[in-house]
Amino acid sequence: MSGFVEKPEPLQVPGLVHLHTGKVRDLYQNEAGDLVMVASDRMSAYDWVLPTEIPDKGRVLTQLSLWWFDRLADLIPNHVVSTELPAGAPADWAGRTLICRSLRMVPVECVARGYLTGSGLVEYDESRTVCGLALPEGLTDGSELPAPIFTPATKAAVGEHDENVSYEEVARQVGAETAAQLRQSTLAIYSRARDIARDRGIILADTKFEFGLDEQGLVLADEVLTPDSSRFWPAGAWEPGRAQPSYDKQYVRDWLTSPASGWDRASEQPPPPLPQQVVEATRAKYLEAYELLTGNAWQ
């Protein structure tokens, strides 16, 4: 069993209808039919949404996504309509709220990998493939791939795993033309972002995108190129053959699986609250990623 340790009650805001509570985001609809997406400070790990929040995390995710949307606008349109706070919304929503177009969402997590790690490494060690794509011998944890690859996954509900699938399965689900567009757009966006990050001393190891469809075609949606959706590594510390330090929730994962937490990941018991030092170290990593990528000090 997994999911929310303590599922929050959605806020009631005049003029907004609550649609969904996700791992991090709460989704509403306004009277114009637009989606109102609010990024909370919730933290998820090992398929659980934890009982402890990371201050400012939702604002970092939102502001970093907006920064990236600006730098990708010539490659693909995005779903953002406005960042204006809805009338009657709580003050805490400021900086973490996006008004977005309602789209027909594609039921696929579009993952691009430029380096071998995570679930890709597990499959590679077994079969020398990732999502069925053959890779050369001799790669190890953290190795740069000969070229970026598109490794899609199914979207999972809260408390469940995303599952890697083949390109052929994506084509079967969404059609050959849309599948080809997803692959082309995913790799183009990844390549642009990889180069931008590299100029700032950061390796973009892999990332996932979500797309929707409107009358004109594909639209980039949800969050984009944040520490929640991407593996960012400090370029100066990159050393293939071992796990890389990263700008994400690694402090949380490490503590949860350490004796200090007292939590058995294999059990059905929910994880415990995070200690303050883990909260502070995790927040610092999110802010560091934002500042290094954007060149702006966090306000």
Side-chain angles (χ1 to χ4, degrees):
M1 178 178 181
S2 54
F4 287 92
V5 175
E6 300 169 4
K7 188 168 184 178
E9 287 294 322
L11 293 176
Q12 302 300 315
V13 178
L16 301 184
V17 176
H18 177 259
L19 300 178
H20 178 67
T21 297
K23 291 180 181 179
V24 174
R25 286 165 182 78
D26 296 308
L27 198 61
Y28 298 78
Q29 188 172 47
N30 64 20
E31 293 171 342
D34 295 323
L35 298 181
V36 179
M37 194 167 68
V38 185
S40 74
D41 292 334
R42 293 191 291 271
M43 172 64 73
S44 65
Y46 301 120
D47 301 320
W48 284 96
V49 180
L50 305 179
T52 310
E53 295 188 340
I54 307 298
D56 289 320
K57 177 174 175 281
R59 290 188 177 90
V60 170
L61 301 181
T62 301
Q63 298 308 310
L64 191 54
S65 291
L66 288 168
W67 186 86
W68 281 112
F69 282 136
D70 284 346
R71 279 144 190 84
L72 301 170
D74 62 314
L75 291 180
I76 188 166
N78 64 70
H79 67 161
V80 178
V81 173
S82 170
T83 58
E84 186 174 342
L85 203 61
D92 183 61
W93 281 18
R96 63 173 79 242
T97 302
L98 297 178
I99 313 301
C100 305
R101 285 189 286 152
S102 183
L103 303 167
R104 290 177 288 122
M105 296 304 292
V106 178
V108 176
E109 295 276 4
C110 292
V111 180
R113 300 176 191 266
Y115 293 75
L116 186 64
T117 194
S119 62
L121 176 64
V122 174
E123 181 183 335
Y124 175 82
D125 285 343
E126 293 173 350
S127 61
R128 296 298 182 263
T129 64
V130 175
C131 286
L133 298 173
L135 294 174
E137 292 283 342
L139 302 181
T140 187
D141 193 357
S143 289
E144 185 172 10
L145 301 178
I149 57 175
F150 175 62
T151 59
T154 57
K155 289 185 182 179
V158 175
E160 298 180 7
H161 279 297
D162 291 346
E163 295 289 341
N164 291 345
V165 295
S166 67
Y167 177 78
E168 289 72 24
E169 174 61 21
V170 173
R172 188 189 69 78
Q173 286 190 28
V174 304
E177 182 177 354
T178 299
Q181 292 173 343
L182 291 172
R183 179 168 61 185
Q184 187 277 329
S185 294
T186 296
L187 294 176
I189 296 167
Y190 171 81
S191 297
R192 167 76 60 82
R194 174 201 60 198
D195 293 346
I196 291 172
R198 184 178 289 160
D199 287 344
R200 290 156 171 78
I202 292 179
I203 289 172
L204 175 58
D206 56 45
T207 190
K208 65 180 178 181
F209 304 115
E210 293 200 32
F211 295 94
L213 291 164
D214 66 8
E215 293 75 14
Q216 280 73 49
L218 280 186
V219 178
L220 187 58
D222 199 45
E223 66 178 318
V224 60
L225 295 157
T226 72
D228 269 16
S229 66
S230 315
R231 281 189 178 92
F232 292 117
W233 298 337
W238 176 54
E239 185 181 321
R242 61 169 175 81
Q244 311 299 316
S246 59
Y247 297 102
D248 61 11
K249 59 184 77 171
Q250 198 58 48
Y251 279 111
V252 171
R253 296 191 191 100
D254 289 348
W255 183 80
L256 286 173
T257 55
S258 74
S261 75
W263 180 57
D264 179 5
R265 183 183 170 191
S267 74
E268 294 189 354
Q269 295 301 310
L274 301 175
Q276 188 60 29
Q277 68 267 25
V278 173
V279 171
E280 291 173 358
T282 303
R283 177 179 181 273
K285 278 296 175 187
Y286 276 75
L287 296 187
E288 185 180 1
Y290 171 87
E291 292 182 343
L292 286 172
L293 285 165
T294 67
N296 300 323
W298 179 252
Q299 301 294 323

